[in-house]
C-alpha cells in the first residue's frame, strides 16, 4: 500500500515523503556494490557515518541524490542506495546546481575531494557557494591526490615531498574553510573522519541548513599520505583541537571575542579559520540568506504568470472588438 506523500521541510528544499513508512536503518542506504577503497582509508568511516545518518532525515531514498566528481571520494554514489551521479572532474557542483534548481523535491548532496574541488573544480565550488544553492557539499581533505597515486594537492603543506614534487612543494596551500567563508557561504563547518559523534552532529546541522553548506572533513590516506592528521586524533589531541560552540570565547593574537556562527559579517569567523594551533573544528558560520534555486524558480513562475496574463488580455481585447468569431 502506497501512502500519500506529504511536504517535509528540510534544508535542501521541500521534500516529498510518505506520511507513513517502515523505520529505516543504515542497511536501507547500503547498496549491493563492493566497497573498493584501500584498507584503512578514511572514506570508510565517512561512508558509514552517512549511511547511519541518512535515515534520520525522514526522507524516501528516491528523494535523495548524491553527485560526485573524480577521485577516491567520488565513488561514494555507488555505495549508497539512493539516486546518484558519478560525474566529471570538478564539475559536481555545476551538475548539482542544475538538479537543485529543477527539482526542489530532492535533497542534493555533493561529495568531492581536495583535488577535485579545489583545483579543476575551484571555479564551480566558489560560485555554488556564493550563489547559495541548496546543496550539502562534503569536501574530503586528505592533502594528497590518492586516486592518481600520490601527487601533491591544493591543500598539501608547503615543502611536501610527493611524486610530483620530489624536492618539496613550493605552493602555498588553500584553507578550504577560509575559502568558503571568503565566498560568503551561508554554512561552513569542519570535522574529522575518526570522530563519529562530531561528524554526525555536523552532518545533521548541514543537512538542516537551507542554502549552500560546505563541510570540510579531515581524513587519512594510509597509502600516500598516512598520518596527515594524527595529531588531531585520540585523547592526546585535546590540546590541539578547539571545539567550536556558540558563545565560546576565542582569542586570536591580541583580540578576544565570542564566537557567533550566526553573525552576518564573516570577519571574525574568517579570523577563526586562520587558527592553526589549536585547530578549530565545528560550525564556523550558519546564517540565512535567499537561495539561488528558490529565486530562479520564482523568476520562472513570474515570467509564466505574466505571459499567461498577457495572452488572456490579448484574447479579451479581440473578443471585445465587436467582431464575430466562429469556433471550428
Amino acid at each position: 500500500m502506497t501512502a500519500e506523500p506529504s511536504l517535509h521541510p528540510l534544508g535542501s528544499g521541500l521534500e516529498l515523503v510518505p506520511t507513513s513508512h517502515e523505520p529505516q536503518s543504515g542497511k536501507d542506504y547500503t547498496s549491493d556494490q563492493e566497497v573498493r577503497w584501500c584498507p584503512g582509508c578514511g572514506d570508510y568511516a565517512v561512508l558509514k557515518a552517512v549511511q547511519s545518518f541518512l535515515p534520520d532525515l525522514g526522507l524516501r531514498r528516491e528523494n535523495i541524490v548524491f553527485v560526485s566528481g573524480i577521485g577516491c571520494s567520488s565513488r561514494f554514489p555507488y555505495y549508497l542506495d539512493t539516486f546518484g551521479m558519478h560525474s566529471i572532474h570538478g564539475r559536481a557542483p555545476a551538475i548539482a546546481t542544475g538538479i537543485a534548481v529543477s527539482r526542489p523535491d530532492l535533497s542534493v548532496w555533493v561529495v568531492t575531494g581536495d583535488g577535485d574541488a579545489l583545483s579543476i573544480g575551484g571555479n564551480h565550488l566558489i560560485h555554488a557557494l556564493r550563489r547559495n544553492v541548496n546543496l550539502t557539499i562534503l569536501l574530503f581533505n586528505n592533502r594528497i591526490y590518492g586516486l592518481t597515486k600520490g601527487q601533491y594537492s591544493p591543500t598539501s603543506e608547503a615543502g611536501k615531498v610527493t611524486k610530483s614534487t620530489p624536492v618539496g612543494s613550493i605552493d602555498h596551500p588553500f584553507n578550504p574553510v577560509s575559502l568558503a567563508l571568503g565566498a560568503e557561504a551561508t554554512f561552513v563547518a569542519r570535522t574529522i573522519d575518526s570522530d563519529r559523534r562530531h561528524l554526525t552532529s555536523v552532518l545533521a546541522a548541514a543537512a538542516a541548513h537551507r542554502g549552500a553548506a560546505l563541510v570540510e572533513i579531515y581524513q587519512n590516506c594510509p597509502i600516500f599520505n598516512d598520518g596527515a592528521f594524527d595529531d588531531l586524533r585520540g585523547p592526546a589531541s585535546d590540546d590541539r583541537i578547539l571545539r567550536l560552540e556558540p558563545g565560546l570565547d576565542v582569542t586570536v593574537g591580541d583580540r578576544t571575542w565570542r564566537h557567533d556562527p550566526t553573525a552576518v559579517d564573516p570577519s571574525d569567523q574568517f579570523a577563526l579559520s586562520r587558527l592553526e594551533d589549536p585547530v578549530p573544528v565545528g560550525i564556523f558560520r550558519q546564517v540565512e540568506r535567499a537561495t539561488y534555486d528558490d529565486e530562479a524558480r520564482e523568476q520562472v513562475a513570474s515570467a509564466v504568470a505574466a505571459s499567461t496574463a498577457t495572452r488572456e488580455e490579448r484574447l479579451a481585447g479581440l473578443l471585445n472588438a465587436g467582431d464575430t468569431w466562429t469556433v471550428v
Side-chain angles (χ1 to χ4, degrees):
M1 180 178 179
T2 303
E4 289 297 321
S6 64
L7 287 176
H8 174 75
L10 190 74
S12 52
L14 290 175
E15 320 302 339
L16 286 172
V17 298
T19 53
S20 63
H21 54 74
E22 293 297 322
Q24 295 177 328
S25 69
K27 290 183 178 180
D28 294 305
Y29 288 90
T30 303
S31 76
D32 60 358
Q33 299 299 299
E34 179 187 359
V35 181
R36 304 185 71 177
W37 286 313
C38 300
C41 178
D43 290 358
Y44 285 99
V46 183
L47 174 63
K48 193 66 176 177
V50 170
Q51 288 171 333
S52 300
F53 163 76
L54 287 176
D56 296 337
L57 297 181
L59 303 178
R60 297 186 303 185
R61 287 173 294 172
E62 55 267 38
N63 284 103
I64 301 173
V65 56
F66 278 77
V67 183
S68 65
I70 296 296
C72 297
S73 63
S74 294
R75 294 175 177 169
F76 228 76
Y78 295 108
Y79 307 141
L80 293 169
D81 196 6
T82 64
F83 280 113
M85 176 182 289
H86 188 178
S87 68
I88 53 180
H89 206 179
R91 273 66 178 184
I95 293 170
T97 295
I99 296 172
V101 171
S102 61
R103 290 290 301 271
D105 59 313
L106 297 181
S107 173
V108 186
W109 297 64
V110 172
V111 179
T112 184
D114 48 300
D116 183 59
L118 299 174
S119 55
I120 191 170
N123 173 55
H124 298 287
L125 177 68
I126 60 173
H127 290 300
L129 295 176
R130 76 172 179 84
R131 287 170 176 153
N132 199 33
V133 186
N134 272 320
L135 304 174
T136 306
I137 303 172
L138 308 184
L139 195 161
F140 294 32
N141 183 7
N142 56 19
R143 292 180 174 169
I144 202 75
Y145 276 102
L147 187 67
T148 51
K149 307 301 185 280
Q151 298 83 5
Y152 82 107
S153 85
T155 57
S156 296
E157 61 272 26
K160 182 74 172 179
V161 175
T162 71
K163 293 179 179 179
S164 56
T165 54
V167 293
S169 169
I170 58 174
D171 275 3
H172 184 75
F174 270 133
N175 178 324
V177 169
S178 297
L179 183 72
L181 290 169
E184 296 196 48
T186 54
F187 184 101
V188 184
R190 177 189 288 145
T191 185
I192 305 172
D193 62 352
S194 58
D195 190 338
R196 176 74 170 272
R197 183 175 180 181
H198 189 266
L199 172 62
T200 302
S201 68
V202 169
L203 288 176
H209 180 74
R210 187 161 181 78
L214 181 130
V215 179
E216 179 190 22
I217 305 173
Y218 283 163
Q219 50 126 201
N220 197 43
C221 175
I223 306 301
F224 298 108
N225 200 24
D226 194 23
F229 300 107
D230 276 358
D231 58 336
L232 304 180
R233 302 174 188 275
S237 67
D238 289 344
D239 294 336
R240 287 280 293 122
I241 290 180
L242 177 64
R243 297 186 179 274
L244 299 178
E245 295 290 344
L248 176 72
D249 287 332
V250 179
T251 300
V252 178
D254 58 355
R255 287 189 59 234
T256 298
W257 71 89
R258 209 152 260 189
H259 176 49
D260 181 9
T262 65
V264 176
D265 184 343
S267 300
D268 287 343
Q269 300 155 1
F270 185 86
L272 185 58
S273 75
R274 307 308 296 168
L275 274 179
E276 296 182 353
D277 189 13
V279 175
V281 298
I283 299 172
F284 291 78
R285 181 171 169 84
Q286 189 174 14
V287 299
E288 298 299 324
R289 197 175 81 225
T291 65
Y292 179 87
D293 43 318
D294 283 343
E295 293 195 326
R297 286 189 292 269
E298 288 176 6
Q299 283 189 341
V300 171
S302 296
V304 170
S307 176
T308 301
T310 300
R311 186 169 62 249
E312 290 175 349
E313 289 172 0
R314 287 201 305 266
L315 180 59
L318 289 172
L319 292 175
N320 292 330
D323 294 331
T324 300
W325 297 82
T326 301
V327 178
V328 294

